[in-house]
Amino acid sequence: MDFDWTVIADALPALLNGARLTILIALAGLVGGLVVGFIAGLMRAYGNTPLSAIAFGYIELIRGTPIVVQVMFIYFALPVLAEVRVNPMTAAITAIVVNAGAYIAEIVRGAFLSVHKGLKEAGLALGLPMWKVLVYVIGPVAFRRMIPPLGNQFIVSLKDTSLFIVIGVGELTRQGQEIMAANFRAVEIWTAVAVLYLIMTGTLTLILRITEKRMRIL
Amino acid sequence: MNVVEFRKVTKAFGRIVVLREVDLNIEAGEVVVLIGPSGSGKSTLLRCINALEQIDGGDLLVDGISVKAGRSQVRVIRQEAGMVFQQFNLFPQMTALENVAFGPRQVRGASKAEATTQAQALLAKVGLADRGHHYPSELSGGQQQRVAIARALAIKPKLMLFDEPTSALDPELRHEVLRVMQSLAEEGMTMIVVTHEMAFARKVGTRLIFMEDGRISVDGNPTTLLSNPENPRLREFLQHVH
């Protein structure tokens, strides 16, 4: 078979549009996921029994179900149950927030609990309230340890956006699928799609590398 | 006036009883050296004073405040009782100077300039004036422990608690930490020191307490006790440390 570069050239604007949506969903979803993950992770690590139990329930529910099912639930089931109508884009971002949040919660919990307990005691012994110990003493050390696993999760979540093809969000994979359905050039289109994902994850990896190098891991 | 007052304090970890109805009064200016075999409860006794361990029974007053008086009162107690740990526990993300300036800024509401000036003076006092901008990982164990002493002093405590401050140090680094502790004692600081340094106990201590099995079994003058230990178990213990 011959590889037809013009197919890619023609498809590129639509694919780039899709990539733009992919980045938007991943970015918004991960920002929200970080917020949810920090809250749930700290609830698990330092919360009282009810708080910890709520966070545990959330994490287990999300980790125990596929993300495709989660987004279908948000998009199709939630309107029936609660009469909230969401557009595909909102459903996609929400799915990443909720899904990445659960995994990030475990990363946050693990990183905070991995910090030598002597540091917590040294902070408390100075007369600091616990929240200040978490913010100024344990947090900065834990944060550095979170960077490698967070990087992993960012990449997973970015690629997970491809699953939102099932609710018709026009992200990169969906764009590829639509073009392919019209011209049947599977090799060219899926190669282009794969390369675009690689460029996105590669950039992310590079950013994380630089961040990691700038911070001394403690 | 007693700076520390134990009233029938008991403490257990699960089913293991670590402190058994301990009564103990410590007055301002005393340098109390706590010794005893491992597991005798000396570290726990120290950690109960600043409520890093919670007591199960009895009462414990620090500068007149009960450790059971609630969270904000516990924070007041902790600001009155500086602590130095066996493993130094310096904040690794901060320089020596930042470590020392951190407490006053966070708990005493000092301005950055004020806290830094004071921190610089304290580092000079422990002989580390030129190490302020080093991170803990760039300092030797002895230097780290001296920074830790300066950090504890920075919140202007009335009482200093030392939990085996030289046990994690190489022998040749111990004396620099002990010297700082001695000058602190000479300034009149009230100190409670868990240690195996018998020379320090003899030279600097004003009171020696020997603990066994969660109880204070000997309490007296260090010079007398160390030169003529009447208690047979203290005598045996001293033979092992020397």
Side-chain angles (χ1 to χ4, degrees):
Chain A
M1 84 140 265
D2 54 336
F3 196 92
D4 189 351
W5 288 96
T6 60
V7 172
I8 292 180
D10 291 342
L12 207 55
L15 291 181
L16 285 177
N17 254 334
R20 207 171 48 88
L21 269 192
T22 294
I23 292 170
L24 187 67
I25 297 168
L27 207 63
L30 284 171
V31 169
L34 276 171
V35 175
V36 171
F38 262 86
I39 294 170
L42 293 177
M43 278 165 73
R44 278 285 282 142
Y46 301 103
N48 53 22
T49 316
L51 281 180
S52 176
I54 291 168
F56 179 76
Y58 156 67
I59 293 164
E60 288 309 304
L61 179 73
I62 297 305
R63 290 201 308 182
T65 53
I67 188 167
V68 174
V69 174
Q70 290 159 15
V71 76
M72 298 271 232
F73 191 90
I74 293 167
Y75 188 59
F76 295 112
L78 221 51
V80 181
L81 282 176
E83 296 203 16
V84 272
R85 196 143 285 287
V86 286
N87 61 41
M89 207 41 200
T90 312
I93 292 172
T94 311
I96 293 288
V97 169
V98 170
N99 185 274
Y103 289 95
I104 291 172
E106 286 293 278
I107 294 171
V108 169
R109 179 174 77 99
F112 271 78
L113 292 183
S114 79
V115 176
H116 177 48
K117 85 173 188 348
L119 289 186
K120 177 176 115 182
E121 291 185 347
L124 289 176
L126 288 173
L128 262 66
M130 188 60 190
W131 72 266
K132 277 195 173 183
V133 173
L134 289 179
V135 172
Y136 296 108
V137 176
I138 304 177
V141 179
F143 182 70
R144 290 160 163 84
R145 294 184 188 174
M146 276 178 227
I147 295 173
L150 276 182
N152 236 350
Q153 184 56 42
F154 289 176
I155 288 169
V156 168
S157 289
L158 182 107
K159 292 189 298 179
D160 276 352
T161 59
S162 67
L163 298 166
F164 300 150
I165 193 168
V166 296
I167 56 164
V169 179
E171 44 69 51
L172 179 54
T173 304
R174 173 85 181 190
Q175 295 291 349
Q177 171 74 29
E178 279 174 6
I179 297 163
M180 221 273 302
N183 66 9
F184 300 104
R185 306 296 301 201
V187 175
E188 289 85 351
I189 296 302
W190 293 122
T191 304
V193 168
V195 169
L196 285 173
Y197 275 114
L198 269 175
I199 292 170
M200 291 189 280
T201 53
T203 312
L204 198 53
T205 308
L206 200 68
I207 294 170
L208 288 160
R209 273 275 162 75
I210 293 168
T211 318
E212 222 174 298
K213 270 199 181 150
R214 283 201 168 178
M215 283 187 171
R216 301 172 324 123
I217 303 285
L218 302 165
Chain B
M1 152 111 194
N2 291 323
V3 180
V4 178
E5 201 172 323
F6 281 75
R7 294 180 183 160
K8 299 222 174 308
V9 170
T10 55
K11 168 75 188 171
F13 293 111
R15 291 171 59 192
I16 302 158
V17 182
V18 195
L19 296 179
R20 302 170 192 272
E21 302 203 339
V22 171
D23 280 310
L24 174 65
N25 292 325
I26 293 166
E27 288 176 23
E30 282 194 277
V31 178
V32 180
V33 176
L34 268 175
I35 59 171
S38 73
S40 59
K42 51 196 194 307
S43 273
T44 305
L45 183 132
L46 197 72
R47 290 162 57 85
C48 284
I49 296 171
N50 67 349
L52 284 183
E53 303 293 352
Q54 271 151 27
I55 63 172
D56 296 325
D59 203 357
L60 171 48
L61 306 180
V62 181
D63 204 27
I65 306 167
S66 167
V67 294
K68 299 194 292 190
R71 255 191 250 178
S72 65
Q73 292 301 296
V74 163
R75 286 206 296 275
V76 175
I77 288 176
R78 286 172 176 163
Q79 289 165 31
E80 301 303 339
M83 189 173 224
V84 175
F85 300 86
Q86 183 178 351
Q87 298 295 341
F88 331 131
N89 297 343
L90 291 179
F91 308 131
Q93 72 273 31
M94 302 179 200
T95 62
L97 195 66
E98 287 164 349
N99 263 282
V100 182
F102 179 74
R105 290 208 67 194
Q106 292 300 332
V107 301
R108 299 276 194 220
S111 73
K112 190 175 181 185
E114 209 181 327
T116 308
T117 313
Q118 190 212 355
Q120 193 58 56
L122 281 167
L123 283 179
K125 183 180 166 142
V126 298
L128 292 171
D130 56 340
R131 290 287 185 275
H133 297 290
H134 287 67
Y135 284 92
S137 56
E138 301 162 346
L139 299 172
S140 73
Q143 291 172 332
Q144 287 190 54
Q145 192 61 300
R146 285 185 282 153
V147 174
I149 293 173
R151 175 179 67 178
L153 289 173
I155 50 167
K156 299 193 166 70
K158 289 186 177 155
L159 161 76
M160 286 285 282
L161 310 171
F162 292 86
D163 191 2
E164 303 205 27
T166 56
S167 298
L169 296 175
D170 291 336
E172 73 270 22
L173 298 176
R174 287 183 183 158
H175 68 275
E176 59 187 59
V177 171
L178 293 170
R179 209 181 306 130
V180 169
M181 290 168 63
Q182 181 175 355
S183 69
L184 206 56
E186 282 160 3
E187 287 168 22
M189 176 63 82
T190 311
M191 292 165 57
I192 307 175
V193 186
V194 173
T195 189
H196 297 293
E197 305 277 355
M198 291 308 141
F200 176 85
R202 192 190 299 265
K203 200 160 67 168
V204 184
T206 62
R207 187 171 170 189
L208 184 76
I209 290 177
F210 177 60
M211 285 190 74
E212 280 182 293
D213 194 27
R215 290 189 184 89
I216 291 172
S217 58
V218 181
D219 181 350
N221 179 285
T223 320
T224 324
L225 286 175
L226 291 174
S227 47
N228 183 24
E230 280 174 14
N231 180 303
R233 280 189 300 273
L234 173 58
R235 200 181 309 142
E236 199 197 330
F237 175 78
L238 290 174
Q239 276 160 4
H240 288 301
V241 225
H242 272 295

